[in-house]
């Protein structure tokens, strides 16, 4: 097994530029804030969706899935790879959609070469090939958050841990498939055309979410769609085009920030502030500390009152995955 895969966020900007850096053309991701088929249709064509959820660590393997049926033949005839290493499931989910849509997406020469090379492999060897691909691993890791602290991601998870996992849903050859590298084969959810995908995937996702307690809201869903700037140019909507360009600029800025560790900067800034307060005298310094303590207590009290809100939990999902 390969090593050295870091955790990445479930973020539309991360996924868009990850594929862009792998040489994929005219694809982007859109975050879905509700299970709304009409929203998907409006952003079509939709190639697939990536679903992030809390993984039940203590759950034992099942001979049959809780929803749908295993399609053993599709494990060989479609691009399906077993997950053989930690932290790779996000990128693996993206590729599970992408490499099954290479008839309608320009996946670029590097991924074309990878798919051709692994085409005759069984699922477990495809997973090993993916895990050991320096190109895919290096691009994946370039979007990981910089951290000065020890990474415990390689230790085995225990039942008490909050562990998150990515799976992909896409239409392939007239069937709606769930592609999960931790399962023995693709899971078929019945017949589905490319045009029907937005309508048919939503009920599947709803059933998946309903397995969890009502208070569990830590899910994240992004759709793989055609670059929305193309549609904006086709219909001559300059305002929409401008919004999409601004979105891209914001994504690039956020991705650049992820590569930097700001702990040292914050530490030096804090030292400078403390020195300036001490220069005003110990009484002024003590007054400043007291005010800061009161402000912090007020914020903690307000946070406890609003704990469990959707926006707060949504932020946690993106960071804990």
């Amino acid at each position: 097994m390969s090593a050295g895969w870091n955790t990445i966020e479930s973020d539309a900007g991360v996924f868009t530029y990850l594929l862009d850096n792998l040489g994929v053309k005219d694809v982007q991701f859109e975050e879905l804030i509700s299970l709304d088929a009409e929203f998907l249709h409006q952003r079509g064509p939709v190639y697939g969706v990536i679903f992030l959820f809390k993984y039940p660590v203590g759950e034992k393997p099942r001979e049959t899935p809780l929803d749908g049926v295993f399609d053993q033949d599709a494990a060989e005839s479609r691009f399906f790879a077993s997950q053989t290493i930690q932290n790779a499931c996000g990128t693996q989910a993206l590729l599970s959609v992408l490499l099954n849509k290479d008839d309608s997406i320009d996946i670029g020469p590097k991924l074309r070469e990878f798919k051709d090379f692994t085409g005759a492999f069984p699922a477990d060897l495809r997973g090993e090939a993916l895990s050991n691909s320096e190109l895919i691993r290096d691009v994946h890791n370039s979007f990981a958050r910089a951290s000065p602290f020890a990474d415990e991601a390689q230790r085995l998870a225990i039942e008490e841990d909050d562990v998150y996992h990515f799976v992909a849903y896409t239409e392939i050859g007239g069937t709606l498939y769930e592609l999960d590298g931790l399962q023995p084969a693709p899971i078929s959810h019945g017949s589905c055309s490319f045009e029907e995908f937005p309508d048919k995937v939503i009920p599947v996702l709803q059933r998946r979410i309903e397995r969890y307690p009502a208070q569990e809201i830590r899910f994240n869903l992004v759709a793989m769609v055609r670059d929305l700037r193309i549609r904006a140019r086709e219909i001559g909507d300059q305002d929409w085009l401008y919004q999409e360009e601004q979105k891209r600029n914001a994504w690039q800025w956020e991705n650049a920030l992820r590569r930097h560790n700001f702990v040292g900067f914050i530490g030096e800034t804090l030292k400078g502030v403390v020195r300036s307060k001490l220069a005003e005298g110990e009484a002024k310094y003590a007054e400043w500390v007291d005010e800061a303590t009161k402000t912090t207590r007020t914020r903690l009290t307000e946070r406890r009152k609003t704990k469990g809100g959707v926006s707060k939990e949504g932020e946690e999902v993106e960071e804990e995955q």
Side-chain angles (χ1 to χ4, degrees):
M1 288 175 61
S2 174
W5 289 74
N6 299 323
T7 302
I8 63 172
E9 294 178 68
S10 179
D11 180 83
V14 168
F15 290 165
T16 296
Y17 280 98
L18 191 155
L19 292 190
D20 187 72
N21 288 357
L22 285 172
V24 180
K25 305 297 184 185
D26 299 333
V27 168
Q28 77 175 67
F29 288 84
E30 283 289 291
E31 186 170 0
L32 307 180
I33 59 175
S34 65
L35 296 177
D36 185 352
E38 184 59 31
F39 181 88
L40 278 175
H41 277 294
Q42 291 171 359
R43 280 144 184 82
V46 181
Y47 304 116
V49 297
I50 310 300
F51 183 53
L52 173 72
F53 60 97
K54 185 177 178 181
Y55 188 77
V57 176
E59 186 174 272
K60 296 181 180 179
R62 301 175 59 90
E63 293 184 1
T64 58
L66 292 172
D67 191 17
V69 294
F70 286 126
D71 187 340
Q72 299 293 342
D73 292 337
E76 304 300 326
S77 61
R78 311 302 184 187
F79 181 85
F80 178 75
S82 299
Q83 185 179 334
T84 62
I85 194 167
Q86 290 179 308
N87 297 332
C89 60
T91 294
Q92 184 160 333
L94 307 187
L95 296 180
S96 293
V97 174
L98 187 71
L99 298 184
N100 283 299
K101 292 294 183 183
D102 56 323
D103 58 339
S104 53
I105 299 176
D106 182 356
I107 64 174
K110 295 297 184 181
L111 289 182
R112 169 62 60 191
E113 180 182 349
F114 175 80
K115 183 179 181 181
D116 292 343
F117 174 69
T118 60
F121 291 179
D124 57 343
L125 288 184
R126 284 194 195 123
E128 288 290 348
L130 194 158
S131 298
N132 286 283
S133 168
E134 290 188 9
L135 168 69
I136 298 173
R137 184 179 64 241
D138 289 347
V139 172
H140 169 101
N141 285 343
S142 71
F143 291 90
R145 283 186 179 273
S147 174
F149 306 112
D151 183 8
E152 295 185 343
Q154 297 301 322
R155 72 174 178 83
L156 293 177
I158 59 176
E159 192 166 350
E160 291 75 19
D161 287 339
D162 282 343
V163 178
Y164 293 87
H165 182 56
F166 294 86
V167 298
Y169 293 86
T170 189
E171 176 275 332
I172 311 172
T175 300
L176 172 57
Y177 282 109
E178 175 183 337
L179 303 174
D180 180 353
L182 296 181
Q183 299 294 339
I187 298 174
S188 169
H189 290 283
S191 63
C192 175
S193 68
F194 181 75
E195 293 75 17
E196 293 173 327
F197 175 75
D199 297 303
K200 293 204 170 182
V201 74
I202 295 299
V204 175
L205 292 168
Q206 288 173 331
R207 293 195 297 270
R208 182 68 177 262
I209 292 173
E210 286 170 359
R211 299 179 203 168
Y212 289 83
Q215 66 271 19
E216 178 59 72
I217 57 174
R218 289 172 292 182
F219 306 103
N220 187 258
L221 187 66
V222 293
M224 182 188 293
V225 302
R226 188 177 66 157
D227 188 338
L228 293 178
R229 295 174 299 180
I230 297 176
R231 171 82 70 82
R233 293 190 185 101
E234 288 175 346
I235 65 176
D237 191 330
Q238 295 301 315
D239 289 338
W240 187 13
L241 179 59
Y242 175 77
Q243 291 173 7
E244 291 300 321
E245 293 288 2
Q246 291 298 104
K247 184 195 299 181
R248 294 281 180 139
N249 291 338
W251 282 346
Q252 288 182 311
W253 172 247
E254 291 166 3
N255 289 337
L257 292 179
R258 287 183 176 92
R259 298 186 179 95
H260 297 281
N261 167 24
F262 292 97
V263 172
F265 170 75
I266 294 170
E268 291 302 315
T269 300
L270 184 58
K271 289 178 184 178
V273 172
V274 171
R275 279 196 298 267
S276 68
K277 292 297 181 181
L278 286 173
E280 297 176 10
E282 291 190 9
K284 284 287 187 181
Y285 175 76
E287 181 182 345
W288 174 65
V289 171
D290 288 341
E291 289 178 358
T293 302
K294 291 177 182 177
T295 300
T296 300
R297 286 174 178 168
T298 300
R299 289 176 178 172
L300 288 174
T301 300
E302 293 175 350
R303 187 175 300 173
R304 291 190 188 101
K305 290 179 181 178
T306 59
K307 188 175 182 181
V310 174
S311 61
K312 178 179 175 60
E313 294 294 345
E315 292 171 1
E316 289 178 358
V317 165
E318 292 182 358
E319 295 179 359
E320 291 180 30
Q321 50 101 27

